[in-house]
Each structure stands twice: as structure tokens, then as C-alpha cells.
Amino acid sequence: MHLSKKEKIALSLGLVVLVLIFISSSMTYQQQNIQSDLQPFWPPFTRFLNSFSFVYAGEKHSLALDGYAGYLEFILRKLAHFASYFLMGAFFYYGLRRLIKHNFFPALIIWLAMTGLAAFDEYHQAITGGRTPSVHDVMLDSFGAVVGILLVGLIIFVVWRHHERKKLAEN
């Protein structure tokens, strides 16, 4: 079976995200610290950020506890975790789904691979200076991947159904 141009592009994009994650995981916390860059963004987001707090990995996070830059950086880091695995799950599922037969099996295989990759990424962070691995980040990454896979699956299903209905209407 040959991959289509779109599938090759999706796989290439998935690999780009994977390389970016590896580069990011190779950096120390100090090299990734963006708190000083966030200072100019204080005024418009202060009111919004002050309106909610949450617990992550058993630790409460809020504007009052973390400070503006620390809180915003924490939120951006967690969004980056989710988004990068969302994209990888979506890209790799789209690119590989036809190669792995049986209805939901491709989604399961891709999701398990993304979860394993997330665990490996956290291990990689553990051997990088100034970084702390977290099982909660693995769960967040895994959730991002499954949401990406499900969204692509839903879009593919809707497009397929639309084409099927169009065929029926033409006959």
C-alpha cells in the first residue's frame, strides 16, 4: 500500500513535532524559562487569570500562589504538553491509519505509541539537568494524543459519510 501525498505530509509534520519535543526535553528548565518574557503581558490577563485556580499533580496553582509570570508560564507549559501530543496523535493517526487494518486498532496502536513516547520523554527529562519527570505530564500528553486521534477519526468519518450520502443521492 502506498501513502498518499496528504498522508506523507501528515507523517512529516508528526516527525517535526517529535523532533521539537526532543529538542525541548534536552533543554534545562533555566534554558526554557520564559517568565521574564511574559512580564509585558501582565495587564490584559491579570483579571482573567485571577478568576481561576486549579490543582495539578497534587499542587495548587493560582495567580496569588505562583505570581503572574510563574502562573502564566505554568499554564503555557501544560498547554504545550497537550498541544504537541494532540498534533502528533492527529498527524500520525492520519498518516498511518490505512496501513494498520481493523476499525479501531490503528487508533489504539497510535495512542499506545504516543503514551509510550510521552513516558520516554519524561524519562529523557529526568536525565536532563534541572528537569523533573512527572507521571501527570504523561497522562496529559496521552490525553492530548487521544483527543487528536479522535478528532481526526471523527472528521474522516463525517467526510466519508458525506461522500456516501452524495453517492446515494446521485443514484
PDB file of all heavy atoms in Angstrom, residues 74-94:
ATOM      1  N   PHE A  74       3.405  28.350  33.727  1.00  0.00           N
ATOM      2  CA  PHE A  74       2.918  27.005  34.037  1.00  0.00           C
ATOM      3  C   PHE A  74       1.785  26.607  33.096  1.00  0.00           C
ATOM      4  O   PHE A  74       1.783  25.508  32.531  1.00  0.00           O
ATOM      5  CB  PHE A  74       2.457  26.926  35.497  1.00  0.00           C
ATOM      6  CG  PHE A  74       1.907  25.595  35.872  1.00  0.00           C
ATOM      7  CD1 PHE A  74       2.758  24.537  36.171  1.00  0.00           C
ATOM      8  CD2 PHE A  74       0.538  25.367  35.916  1.00  0.00           C
ATOM      9  CE1 PHE A  74       2.256  23.294  36.503  1.00  0.00           C
ATOM     10  CE2 PHE A  74       0.031  24.131  36.250  1.00  0.00           C
ATOM     11  CZ  PHE A  74       0.884  23.093  36.551  1.00  0.00           C
ATOM     12  N   ILE A  75       0.828  27.499  32.896  1.00  0.00           N
ATOM     13  CA  ILE A  75      -0.301  27.218  32.015  1.00  0.00           C
ATOM     14  C   ILE A  75       0.193  26.992  30.581  1.00  0.00           C
ATOM     15  O   ILE A  75      -0.231  26.043  29.911  1.00  0.00           O
ATOM     16  CB  ILE A  75      -1.343  28.359  32.068  1.00  0.00           C
ATOM     17  CG1 ILE A  75      -2.031  28.373  33.437  1.00  0.00           C
ATOM     18  CG2 ILE A  75      -2.372  28.226  30.949  1.00  0.00           C
ATOM     19  CD1 ILE A  75      -2.882  29.592  33.695  1.00  0.00           C
ATOM     20  N   LEU A  76       1.102  27.825  30.109  1.00  0.00           N
ATOM     21  CA  LEU A  76       1.628  27.674  28.751  1.00  0.00           C
ATOM     22  C   LEU A  76       2.383  26.363  28.588  1.00  0.00           C
ATOM     23  O   LEU A  76       2.282  25.704  27.546  1.00  0.00           O
ATOM     24  CB  LEU A  76       2.532  28.858  28.397  1.00  0.00           C
ATOM     25  CG  LEU A  76       1.824  30.187  28.196  1.00  0.00           C
ATOM     26  CD1 LEU A  76       2.847  31.309  28.011  1.00  0.00           C
ATOM     27  CD2 LEU A  76       0.869  30.137  27.017  1.00  0.00           C
ATOM     28  N   ARG A  77       3.135  25.961  29.609  1.00  0.00           N
ATOM     29  CA  ARG A  77       3.866  24.687  29.550  1.00  0.00           C
ATOM     30  C   ARG A  77       2.900  23.507  29.438  1.00  0.00           C
ATOM     31  O   ARG A  77       3.124  22.570  28.667  1.00  0.00           O
ATOM     32  CB  ARG A  77       4.756  24.506  30.776  1.00  0.00           C
ATOM     33  CG  ARG A  77       6.007  25.341  30.754  1.00  0.00           C
ATOM     34  CD  ARG A  77       6.803  25.115  32.039  1.00  0.00           C
ATOM     35  NE  ARG A  77       8.013  25.879  32.025  1.00  0.00           N
ATOM     36  CZ  ARG A  77       9.155  25.474  31.476  1.00  0.00           C
ATOM     37  NH1 ARG A  77       9.219  24.296  30.898  1.00  0.00           N
ATOM     38  NH2 ARG A  77      10.218  26.233  31.494  1.00  0.00           N
ATOM     39  N   LYS A  78       1.838  23.532  30.217  1.00  0.00           N
ATOM     40  CA  LYS A  78       0.877  22.425  30.189  1.00  0.00           C
ATOM     41  C   LYS A  78       0.097  22.429  28.876  1.00  0.00           C
ATOM     42  O   LYS A  78      -0.212  21.361  28.327  1.00  0.00           O
ATOM     43  CB  LYS A  78      -0.061  22.463  31.404  1.00  0.00           C
ATOM     44  CG  LYS A  78       0.670  22.325  32.734  1.00  0.00           C
ATOM     45  CD  LYS A  78       1.648  21.169  32.725  1.00  0.00           C
ATOM     46  CE  LYS A  78       2.665  21.263  33.833  1.00  0.00           C
ATOM     47  NZ  LYS A  78       3.768  20.322  33.690  1.00  0.00           N
ATOM     48  N   LEU A  79      -0.218  23.606  28.365  1.00  0.00           N
ATOM     49  CA  LEU A  79      -0.863  23.678  27.049  1.00  0.00           C
ATOM     50  C   LEU A  79       0.066  23.149  25.960  1.00  0.00           C
ATOM     51  O   LEU A  79      -0.387  22.486  25.019  1.00  0.00           O
ATOM     52  CB  LEU A  79      -1.281  25.116  26.729  1.00  0.00           C
ATOM     53  CG  LEU A  79      -2.510  25.640  27.455  1.00  0.00           C
ATOM     54  CD1 LEU A  79      -2.698  27.138  27.183  1.00  0.00           C
ATOM     55  CD2 LEU A  79      -3.752  24.868  27.059  1.00  0.00           C
ATOM     56  N   ALA A  80       1.350  23.417  26.091  1.00  0.00           N
ATOM     57  CA  ALA A  80       2.324  22.907  25.120  1.00  0.00           C
ATOM     58  C   ALA A  80       2.385  21.382  25.171  1.00  0.00           C
ATOM     59  O   ALA A  80       2.479  20.725  24.127  1.00  0.00           O
ATOM     60  CB  ALA A  80       3.706  23.506  25.379  1.00  0.00           C
ATOM     61  N   HIS A  81       2.336  20.803  26.382  1.00  0.00           N
ATOM     62  CA  HIS A  81       2.299  19.342  26.518  1.00  0.00           C
ATOM     63  C   HIS A  81       1.101  18.788  25.757  1.00  0.00           C
ATOM     64  O   HIS A  81       1.234  17.898  24.912  1.00  0.00           O
ATOM     65  CB  HIS A  81       2.169  18.935  27.995  1.00  0.00           C
ATOM     66  CG  HIS A  81       3.453  18.718  28.688  1.00  0.00           C
ATOM     67  ND1 HIS A  81       4.124  17.523  28.642  1.00  0.00           N
ATOM     68  CD2 HIS A  81       4.201  19.531  29.471  1.00  0.00           C
ATOM     69  CE1 HIS A  81       5.223  17.606  29.365  1.00  0.00           C
ATOM     70  NE2 HIS A  81       5.293  18.826  29.880  1.00  0.00           N
ATOM     71  N   PHE A  82      -0.079  19.316  26.070  1.00  0.00           N
ATOM     72  CA  PHE A  82      -1.307  18.826  25.454  1.00  0.00           C
ATOM     73  C   PHE A  82      -1.269  19.017  23.933  1.00  0.00           C
ATOM     74  O   PHE A  82      -1.543  18.089  23.174  1.00  0.00           O
ATOM     75  CB  PHE A  82      -2.528  19.541  26.046  1.00  0.00           C
ATOM     76  CG  PHE A  82      -3.825  19.087  25.447  1.00  0.00           C
ATOM     77  CD1 PHE A  82      -4.492  17.994  25.955  1.00  0.00           C
ATOM     78  CD2 PHE A  82      -4.378  19.759  24.359  1.00  0.00           C
ATOM     79  CE1 PHE A  82      -5.684  17.565  25.391  1.00  0.00           C
ATOM     80  CE2 PHE A  82      -5.565  19.333  23.787  1.00  0.00           C
ATOM     81  CZ  PHE A  82      -6.225  18.240  24.309  1.00  0.00           C
ATOM     82  N   ALA A  83      -0.916  20.225  23.500  1.00  0.00           N
ATOM     83  CA  ALA A  83      -0.969  20.556  22.074  1.00  0.00           C
ATOM     84  C   ALA A  83       0.029  19.741  21.250  1.00  0.00           C
ATOM     85  O   ALA A  83      -0.306  19.287  20.150  1.00  0.00           O
ATOM     86  CB  ALA A  83      -0.711  22.050  21.871  1.00  0.00           C
ATOM     87  N   SER A  84       1.226  19.539  21.763  1.00  0.00           N
ATOM     88  CA  SER A  84       2.223  18.810  20.974  1.00  0.00           C
ATOM     89  C   SER A  84       1.801  17.355  20.781  1.00  0.00           C
ATOM     90  O   SER A  84       1.926  16.809  19.674  1.00  0.00           O
ATOM     91  CB  SER A  84       3.609  18.905  21.610  1.00  0.00           C
ATOM     92  OG  SER A  84       3.612  18.398  22.920  1.00  0.00           O
ATOM     93  N   TYR A  85       1.253  16.725  21.809  1.00  0.00           N
ATOM     94  CA  TYR A  85       0.812  15.337  21.657  1.00  0.00           C
ATOM     95  C   TYR A  85      -0.516  15.248  20.917  1.00  0.00           C
ATOM     96  O   TYR A  85      -0.779  14.268  20.229  1.00  0.00           O
ATOM     97  CB  TYR A  85       0.782  14.623  23.015  1.00  0.00           C
ATOM     98  CG  TYR A  85       2.178  14.191  23.391  1.00  0.00           C
ATOM     99  CD1 TYR A  85       3.052  15.067  24.021  1.00  0.00           C
ATOM    100  CD2 TYR A  85       2.648  12.930  23.054  1.00  0.00           C
ATOM    101  CE1 TYR A  85       4.348  14.693  24.320  1.00  0.00           C
ATOM    102  CE2 TYR A  85       3.940  12.548  23.356  1.00  0.00           C
ATOM    103  CZ  TYR A  85       4.784  13.428  23.985  1.00  0.00           C
ATOM    104  OH  TYR A  85       6.065  13.053  24.255  1.00  0.00           O
ATOM    105  N   PHE A  86      -1.344  16.274  21.026  1.00  0.00           N
ATOM    106  CA  PHE A  86      -2.555  16.360  20.213  1.00  0.00           C
ATOM    107  C   PHE A  86      -2.168  16.338  18.734  1.00  0.00           C
ATOM    108  O   PHE A  86      -2.712  15.568  17.941  1.00  0.00           O
ATOM    109  CB  PHE A  86      -3.321  17.646  20.554  1.00  0.00           C
ATOM    110  CG  PHE A  86      -4.481  17.929  19.645  1.00  0.00           C
ATOM    111  CD1 PHE A  86      -5.739  17.451  19.954  1.00  0.00           C
ATOM    112  CD2 PHE A  86      -4.319  18.678  18.487  1.00  0.00           C
ATOM    113  CE1 PHE A  86      -6.829  17.718  19.112  1.00  0.00           C
ATOM    114  CE2 PHE A  86      -5.387  18.946  17.649  1.00  0.00           C
ATOM    115  CZ  PHE A  86      -6.641  18.462  17.964  1.00  0.00           C
ATOM    116  N   LEU A  87      -1.211  17.189  18.366  1.00  0.00           N
ATOM    117  CA  LEU A  87      -0.771  17.266  16.972  1.00  0.00           C
ATOM    118  C   LEU A  87      -0.127  15.961  16.517  1.00  0.00           C
ATOM    119  O   LEU A  87      -0.420  15.462  15.426  1.00  0.00           O
ATOM    120  CB  LEU A  87       0.197  18.430  16.781  1.00  0.00           C
ATOM    121  CG  LEU A  87      -0.417  19.820  16.885  1.00  0.00           C
ATOM    122  CD1 LEU A  87       0.676  20.892  16.871  1.00  0.00           C
ATOM    123  CD2 LEU A  87      -1.429  20.060  15.778  1.00  0.00           C
ATOM    124  N   MET A  88       0.754  15.402  17.356  1.00  0.00           N
ATOM    125  CA  MET A  88       1.396  14.144  16.958  1.00  0.00           C
ATOM    126  C   MET A  88       0.379  13.027  16.803  1.00  0.00           C
ATOM    127  O   MET A  88       0.440  12.255  15.847  1.00  0.00           O
ATOM    128  CB  MET A  88       2.478  13.740  17.964  1.00  0.00           C
ATOM    129  CG  MET A  88       3.777  14.443  17.732  1.00  0.00           C
ATOM    130  SD  MET A  88       5.186  13.628  18.497  1.00  0.00           S
ATOM    131  CE  MET A  88       4.634  13.323  20.133  1.00  0.00           C
ATOM    132  N   GLY A  89      -0.550  12.918  17.740  1.00  0.00           N
ATOM    133  CA  GLY A  89      -1.577  11.886  17.635  1.00  0.00           C
ATOM    134  C   GLY A  89      -2.384  12.051  16.363  1.00  0.00           C
ATOM    135  O   GLY A  89      -2.628  11.088  15.626  1.00  0.00           O
ATOM    136  N   ALA A  90      -2.786  13.285  16.075  1.00  0.00           N
ATOM    137  CA  ALA A  90      -3.584  13.557  14.880  1.00  0.00           C
ATOM    138  C   ALA A  90      -2.789  13.264  13.608  1.00  0.00           C
ATOM    139  O   ALA A  90      -3.273  12.575  12.702  1.00  0.00           O
ATOM    140  CB  ALA A  90      -4.059  15.015  14.884  1.00  0.00           C
ATOM    141  N   PHE A  91      -1.563  13.778  13.534  1.00  0.00           N
ATOM    142  CA  PHE A  91      -0.748  13.583  12.331  1.00  0.00           C
ATOM    143  C   PHE A  91      -0.409  12.115  12.107  1.00  0.00           C
ATOM    144  O   PHE A  91      -0.541  11.612  10.991  1.00  0.00           O
ATOM    145  CB  PHE A  91       0.543  14.399  12.405  1.00  0.00           C
ATOM    146  CG  PHE A  91       0.346  15.886  12.273  1.00  0.00           C
ATOM    147  CD1 PHE A  91       1.128  16.761  13.012  1.00  0.00           C
ATOM    148  CD2 PHE A  91      -0.595  16.422  11.414  1.00  0.00           C
ATOM    149  CE1 PHE A  91       0.971  18.132  12.893  1.00  0.00           C
ATOM    150  CE2 PHE A  91      -0.761  17.801  11.284  1.00  0.00           C
ATOM    151  CZ  PHE A  91       0.020  18.660  12.033  1.00  0.00           C
ATOM    152  N   PHE A  92       0.061  11.427  13.140  1.00  0.00           N
ATOM    153  CA  PHE A  92       0.449  10.032  12.966  1.00  0.00           C
ATOM    154  C   PHE A  92      -0.765   9.143  12.694  1.00  0.00           C
ATOM    155  O   PHE A  92      -0.692   8.206  11.900  1.00  0.00           O
ATOM    156  CB  PHE A  92       1.249   9.516  14.163  1.00  0.00           C
ATOM    157  CG  PHE A  92       2.672  10.017  14.179  1.00  0.00           C
ATOM    158  CD1 PHE A  92       3.172  10.678  15.274  1.00  0.00           C
ATOM    159  CD2 PHE A  92       3.498   9.828  13.090  1.00  0.00           C
ATOM    160  CE1 PHE A  92       4.482  11.148  15.293  1.00  0.00           C
ATOM    161  CE2 PHE A  92       4.806  10.291  13.086  1.00  0.00           C
ATOM    162  CZ  PHE A  92       5.305  10.956  14.191  1.00  0.00           C
ATOM    163  N   TYR A  93      -1.890   9.442  13.323  1.00  0.00           N
ATOM    164  CA  TYR A  93      -3.097   8.657  13.035  1.00  0.00           C
ATOM    165  C   TYR A  93      -3.518   8.850  11.584  1.00  0.00           C
ATOM    166  O   TYR A  93      -3.801   7.881  10.873  1.00  0.00           O
ATOM    167  CB  TYR A  93      -4.238   9.024  13.984  1.00  0.00           C
ATOM    168  CG  TYR A  93      -5.509   8.281  13.656  1.00  0.00           C
ATOM    169  CD1 TYR A  93      -5.598   6.910  13.852  1.00  0.00           C
ATOM    170  CD2 TYR A  93      -6.603   8.938  13.114  1.00  0.00           C
ATOM    171  CE1 TYR A  93      -6.750   6.212  13.527  1.00  0.00           C
ATOM    172  CE2 TYR A  93      -7.758   8.257  12.792  1.00  0.00           C
ATOM    173  CZ  TYR A  93      -7.825   6.893  12.998  1.00  0.00           C
ATOM    174  OH  TYR A  93      -8.960   6.210  12.665  1.00  0.00           O
ATOM    175  N   TYR A  94      -3.558  10.092  11.127  1.00  0.00           N
ATOM    176  CA  TYR A  94      -3.949  10.351   9.737  1.00  0.00           C
ATOM    177  C   TYR A  94      -2.982   9.677   8.770  1.00  0.00           C
ATOM    178  O   TYR A  94      -3.396   9.086   7.768  1.00  0.00           O
ATOM    179  CB  TYR A  94      -4.023  11.855   9.453  1.00  0.00           C
ATOM    180  CG  TYR A  94      -4.534  12.145   8.070  1.00  0.00           C
ATOM    181  CD1 TYR A  94      -5.896  12.175   7.813  1.00  0.00           C
ATOM    182  CD2 TYR A  94      -3.661  12.346   7.008  1.00  0.00           C
ATOM    183  CE1 TYR A  94      -6.382  12.407   6.531  1.00  0.00           C
ATOM    184  CE2 TYR A  94      -4.134  12.578   5.724  1.00  0.00           C
ATOM    185  CZ  TYR A  94      -5.496  12.612   5.500  1.00  0.00           C
ATOM    186  OH  TYR A  94      -5.969  12.833   4.229  1.00  0.00           O
TER     187      TYR A  94
END
